[in-house]
């Protein structure tokens, strides 16, 4: 299609430049361009099916093109019937004027995508530019009106006014950023409108068109550009489906200021060299109009700026109050808040850090706090930070111990969130709460629930749990598990003779001696009353028998309780087996203890019986 339009332009140009005369070729080329314009506008309207406003605009262009085609068709019939006719017919002029009005209405009614002051500024900018264009059109129109035919002058004036209105609507849509056409199509169509407007304004003073070849070539170009405009639009829409997406408006446009400068230069040049005729008065009126538009635009801008400054001051005041409130809350908050970069640099630390941990400001590096963490908690800390650095998440929680400046340990409940991608934070946020008292209470309650209140040994529940752990956990090859059950001999007599306080003191002393006999990894428990149990994990039968003998000797030594030198013996039952037999060993050891008690107090027995049984001589 573009090649066809170019061919039309070459044909018409060659015809007139090579001496051809007459207006028939001109009107035939114009008619062909009008038909192509209609077809292309319909294609563009179908491409804009997803955008109703774009479809409506190009349908209006199709209607305008139809009016142009009918008008040019009427003119073709006129010039064919009367080849000597040099003027444009009334019907053609009316139809073209109607088509231009249709285009102008479509441009002026197309939504701008802006409201309020922004819409007013857009209209004022466009009006400023078009006033300058109108001044230039007036200047050339008046220059060529001397001695011109009044009818031709009226036609030129009306035609120029219509083309200026079309150019105004085009410019308005370009400035709005929501135009239903691409910028390239707007440039082609705007060039067409400007050329037609200038030719229409200068028509009274131009030589007879059919007698001037170059001028006829110039007259042919707008019609060709007229048909090229929708083709450029179609190509760009096919290449880029988002070609008509709303474009962000610039904060300001230079066009109004360039228009003001051009109008002032025209006025000055006319006053210097053209006198003070009608042209000068028209240029002066245009300059005054532009000045009024610019002043209105500036007053609107001043009003908007004042409103924006007021809103900005109010926003800054609210922001300052919020910041002060936030700082006040952080200043007196009991929780620690820190923001650290990826490499551990502390950008912010709340004052609670000094109150909770005694670390004096400034806080420059997270490593200084990490160095004070408990060694057992460091692996968990590093795992949490590895997850955090892997990417944003909902947060990580961890309880760890940090050494206070006074040397004591503080339990902290830490929650960390990765906000490195948040431009307002740009770091990892750590929130920590001192839970030392709660953790100590929790540990104390757990200890009380699993330990005997009198002797501080493990109770029956904890002992059973340790037995299950031994049963489930794998141990070294060739290692056995041994359970000893110890029952004090004649403890009831001591309790009845000296009272419960002395009896309790004796139980405490027994517990201390049993604890001294075993390894730190072994478990000593008070099962109830005067009955105790020992769990020896990963041991051999020989070591277990040696330990049983040592316990018997240790318990046989008299103990001083509240001034009473008391001797107490113990019957010990021992059972040894594999880890898988741990649950059964307690029952076997208990049975062995009763066997030792029945065979004579103060000894121990081993199951399975009857391997051997030995008495420990009393001291």
């Amino acid at each position: 299609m573009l090649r066809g339009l170019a061919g039309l332009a070459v044909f018409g140009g060659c015809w007139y430049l090579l001496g051809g005369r007459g207006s028939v070729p001109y009107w035939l080329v114009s008619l062909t361009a009008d038909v192509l314009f209609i077809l292309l506008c319909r294609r563009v309207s179908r491409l804009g099916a997803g955008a109703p406003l774009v479809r409506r605009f190009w349908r209006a262009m199709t209607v305008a093109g139809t009016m142009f085609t009918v008008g040019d068709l009427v003119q073709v019939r006129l010039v064919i019937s009367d080849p000597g006719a040099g003027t444009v017919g009334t019907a053609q002029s009316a139809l073209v004027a109607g088509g231009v009005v249709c285009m102008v209405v479509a441009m002026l009614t197309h939504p701008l995508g802006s409201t309020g002051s922004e819409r007013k500024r857009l209209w004022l900018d466009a009006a400023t530019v078009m006033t300058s264009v109108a001044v230039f059109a007036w200047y050339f129109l008046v220059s060529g009106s001397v001695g011109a035919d009044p009818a031709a002058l009226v036609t030129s004036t009306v035609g120029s006014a219509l083309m200026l209105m079309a150019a105004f609507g085009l410019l308005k849509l370009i400035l709005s950023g929501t135009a239903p056409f691409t910028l390239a199509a707007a440039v082609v169509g705007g060039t067409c409108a400007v050329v037609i407007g200038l030719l229409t304004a200068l028509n009274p003073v131009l030589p007879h068109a059919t007698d001037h070849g170059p001028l006829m070539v110039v007259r042919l170009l707008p019609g060709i550009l007229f048909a090229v405009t929708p083709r450029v639009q179609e190509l760009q829409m096919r290449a880029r489906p988002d070609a008509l997406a709303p474009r962000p408006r610039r904060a300001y446009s230079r066009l109004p200021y360039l228009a003001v400068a051009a109008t002032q230069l025209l006025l000055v040049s006319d006053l210097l060299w053209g006198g003070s005729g009608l042209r000068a008065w028209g240029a002066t009126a245009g300059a005054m109009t532009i000045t009024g538009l610019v002043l209105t635009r500036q007053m609107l801008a001043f009003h908007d700026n004042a409103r924006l400054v007021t809103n900005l001051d109010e926003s800054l005041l609210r922001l300052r109050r919020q910041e002060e409130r936030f700082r006040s809350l952080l200043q007196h908050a009991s929780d620690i808040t820190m923001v650290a970069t990826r490499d551990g640099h502390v950008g912010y630390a709340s004052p609670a850090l000094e109150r909770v941990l005694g670390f004096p400001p400034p806080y420059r590096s997270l490593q200084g706090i990490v160095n004070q963490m408990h060694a057992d908690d460091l692996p968990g800390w590093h795992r949490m930070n590895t997850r955090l650095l892997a990417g944003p998440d909902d947060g990580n929680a961890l309880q760890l111990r940090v050494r206070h400046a006074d040397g004591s340990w503080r339990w902290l409940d830490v929650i960390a969130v990765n906000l490195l991608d948040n431009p307002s934070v740009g770091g990892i946020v750590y929130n920590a709460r001192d839970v030392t008292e709660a953790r100590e209470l929790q540990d104390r309650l757990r200890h009380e629930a699993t330990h005997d209140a009198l002797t501080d040994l493990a109770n029956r529940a904890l002992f059973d749990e340790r037995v299950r752990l031994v049963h489930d956990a794998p141990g070294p090859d060739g290692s056995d598990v041994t359970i000893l059950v110890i029952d004090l001999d004649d403890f009831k007599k001591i309790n009845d003779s000296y009272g419960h306080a002395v009896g309790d003191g004796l139980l405490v002393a027994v517990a201390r001696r049993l604890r001294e006999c075993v390894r730190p990894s072994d478990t000593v428990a008070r099962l109830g009353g005067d009955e105790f149990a020992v769990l020896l994990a990963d041991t051999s039968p020989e070591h277990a028998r040696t330990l049983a003998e040592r316990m018997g000797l240790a318990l046989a030594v008299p103990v001083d309780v509240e001034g009473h030198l008391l001797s107490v013996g113990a019957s010990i039952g021992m059972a040894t087996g594999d880890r898988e037999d741990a649950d059964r060993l307690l029952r076997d050891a208990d049975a062995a203890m009763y066997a030792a008690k029945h065979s004579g107090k103060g000894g121990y027995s081993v199951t399975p019986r009857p391997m051997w049984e030995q008495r420990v001589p009393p001291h």
Side-chain angles (χ1 to χ4, degrees):
M1 287 188 179
L2 290 178
R3 284 195 293 268
L5 291 171
L8 285 176
V10 171
F11 166 74
C14 291
W15 172 269
Y16 287 108
L17 291 177
L18 294 179
R21 295 292 183 267
S23 58
V24 175
Y26 168 80
W27 290 110
L28 288 176
V29 171
S30 298
L31 180 61
T32 305
D34 291 339
V35 173
L36 289 176
F37 179 81
I38 294 174
L39 295 176
L40 291 170
C41 286
R42 291 187 63 187
R43 289 165 59 132
V44 172
S45 66
R46 293 191 183 100
L47 286 177
L53 294 177
V54 176
R55 185 171 64 251
R56 186 185 70 178
F57 176 84
W58 285 101
R59 283 178 177 174
M61 295 299 105
T62 305
V63 173
T66 303
M67 299 180 72
F68 295 154
T69 302
V70 175
D72 288 348
L73 182 61
V74 171
Q75 187 64 25
V76 167
R77 289 188 59 189
L78 177 64
V79 297
I80 290 177
S81 61
D82 185 9
T87 59
V88 179
T90 304
Q92 195 272 350
S93 299
L95 287 169
V96 170
V100 173
V101 170
C102 182
M103 295 175 64
V104 170
V105 171
M107 292 179 183
L108 295 180
T109 57
H110 188 80
L112 300 179
S114 58
T115 58
S117 299
E118 186 178 1
R119 180 189 292 270
K120 295 177 183 177
R121 290 195 298 269
L122 177 62
W123 279 94
L124 289 172
D125 288 344
T128 301
V129 175
M130 292 313 303
T131 302
S132 177
V133 176
V135 170
F136 277 85
W138 167 265
Y139 188 85
F140 292 113
L141 184 63
V142 172
S143 298
S145 64
V146 180
D149 181 34
L153 183 61
V154 171
T155 302
S156 299
T157 303
V158 173
S160 298
L162 288 175
M163 295 313 297
L164 287 175
M165 292 180 65
F168 172 78
L170 190 68
L171 179 65
K172 174 183 73 76
L173 292 176
I174 293 175
L175 293 176
S176 69
T178 59
F181 41 75
T182 63
L183 184 59
V187 171
V188 177
T191 303
C192 175
V194 171
V195 173
I196 293 177
L198 290 176
L199 290 175
T200 306
L202 297 176
N203 188 58
V205 297
L206 293 177
H208 195 270
T210 57
D211 296 334
H212 198 282
L215 181 59
M216 288 301 297
V217 174
V218 174
R219 287 185 179 276
L220 281 173
L221 288 178
I224 301 298
L225 293 176
F226 188 63
V228 169
T229 300
R231 180 56 179 166
V232 173
Q233 174 82 8
E234 180 186 10
L235 291 176
Q236 289 195 309
M237 289 180 65
R238 290 187 184 277
R240 291 194 305 114
D242 60 341
L244 296 181
R247 300 181 300 275
R249 281 199 63 205
R250 296 177 58 182
Y252 65 94
S253 175
R254 296 186 179 90
L255 284 177
Y257 303 98
L258 294 176
V260 172
T263 305
Q264 299 293 342
L265 289 175
L266 178 64
L267 176 59
V268 171
S269 63
D270 190 69
L271 291 176
L272 289 176
W273 295 289
S276 57
L278 188 60
R279 291 185 311 181
W281 281 108
T284 302
M288 293 177 63
T289 303
I290 287 180
T291 302
L293 290 172
V294 171
L295 288 177
T296 303
R297 172 71 166 80
Q298 290 303 109
M299 291 299 295
L300 183 62
F302 290 152
H303 179 268
D304 291 342
N305 288 340
R307 179 171 52 83
L308 289 175
V309 170
T310 302
N311 293 339
L312 179 60
D313 291 340
E314 293 177 353
S315 299
L316 289 176
L317 181 59
R318 289 194 298 269
L319 181 61
R320 191 178 301 113
R321 289 175 178 173
Q322 291 177 359
E323 184 177 359
E324 291 176 356
R325 181 165 57 251
F326 176 73
R327 288 186 177 276
S328 177
L329 291 174
L330 287 181
Q331 188 76 19
H332 300 89
S334 59
D335 292 354
I336 300 172
T337 300
M338 290 193 304
V339 180
T341 60
R342 184 181 294 272
D343 57 0
H345 175 74
V346 177
Y348 172 79
S350 63
L353 182 61
E354 183 176 7
R355 291 197 299 270
V356 174
L357 296 176
F359 294 169
Y363 321 103
R364 300 300 185 191
S365 175
L366 195 62
Q367 188 60 39
I369 300 177
V370 175
N371 293 337
Q372 302 301 318
M373 291 183 183
H374 197 283
D376 294 343
D377 300 329
L378 284 176
W381 167 263
H382 293 310
R383 285 194 299 270
M384 182 183 73
N385 281 277
T386 300
R387 291 193 300 269
L388 285 170
L389 294 176
D393 54 13
D394 295 334
N396 289 270
L398 176 69
Q399 279 196 356
L400 49 80
R401 287 159 289 183
V402 179
R403 189 185 299 276
H404 193 275
D406 60 8
S408 61
W409 291 101
R410 294 289 191 273
W411 276 99
L412 299 181
D413 191 357
V414 182
I415 298 177
V417 180
N418 184 344
L419 297 179
L420 289 169
D421 295 335
N422 190 328
S424 60
V425 180
I428 298 176
V429 180
Y430 297 92
N431 289 293
R433 173 174 298 180
D434 186 1
V435 293
T436 303
E437 294 183 359
R439 185 61 185 249
E440 291 176 350
L441 175 60
Q442 180 182 358
D443 292 343
R444 185 168 62 252
L445 292 176
R446 183 183 298 110
H447 183 83
E448 292 176 355
T450 58
H451 288 75
D452 179 59
L454 177 63
T455 62
D456 202 35
L457 296 177
N459 61 13
R460 182 63 177 261
L462 180 58
F463 188 81
D464 291 341
E465 180 181 352
R466 296 283 176 84
V467 171
R468 285 194 299 271
L469 291 176
V470 168
H471 176 272
D472 298 335
D477 295 338
S479 64
D480 293 324
V481 177
T482 298
I483 293 180
L484 294 89
V485 176
I486 302 103
D487 187 79
L488 301 183
D489 296 332
D490 299 326
F491 175 76
K492 187 175 184 304
K493 294 179 179 180
I494 296 176
N495 213 21
D496 294 340
S497 301
Y498 301 101
H500 291 286
V502 174
D504 290 345
L506 179 60
L507 292 175
V508 172
V510 170
R512 182 173 60 252
R513 292 184 179 182
L514 290 177
R515 194 183 291 114
E516 292 172 352
C517 293
V518 300
R519 301 168 299 183
S521 59
D522 298 330
T523 301
V524 180
R526 181 188 176 194
L527 301 182
D530 59 343
E531 187 176 8
F532 298 85
V534 179
L535 174 63
L536 306 176
D538 305 328
T539 186
S540 63
E542 293 77 10
H543 177 267
R545 285 192 290 269
T546 302
L547 182 62
E549 294 175 1
R550 187 187 310 147
M551 287 182 178
L553 295 174
L555 295 178
V557 176
V559 58
D560 187 1
V561 180
E562 296 185 4
H564 303 284
L565 191 62
L566 304 176
S567 296
V568 61
S571 297
I572 303 175
M574 183 175 65
T576 301
D578 296 334
R579 306 179 76 88
E580 291 78 5
D581 300 330
D583 294 337
R584 179 182 55 82
L585 293 179
L586 180 60
R587 296 192 299 272
D588 292 346
D590 191 60
M593 182 271 295
Y594 279 108
K597 188 176 288 289
H598 292 157
S599 62
K601 299 179 180 178
Y604 67 88
S605 176
V606 180
T607 56
R609 292 178 287 115
M611 279 187 61
W612 57 278
E613 183 174 320
Q614 180 177 344
R615 298 279 301 174
V616 177
H619 293 275

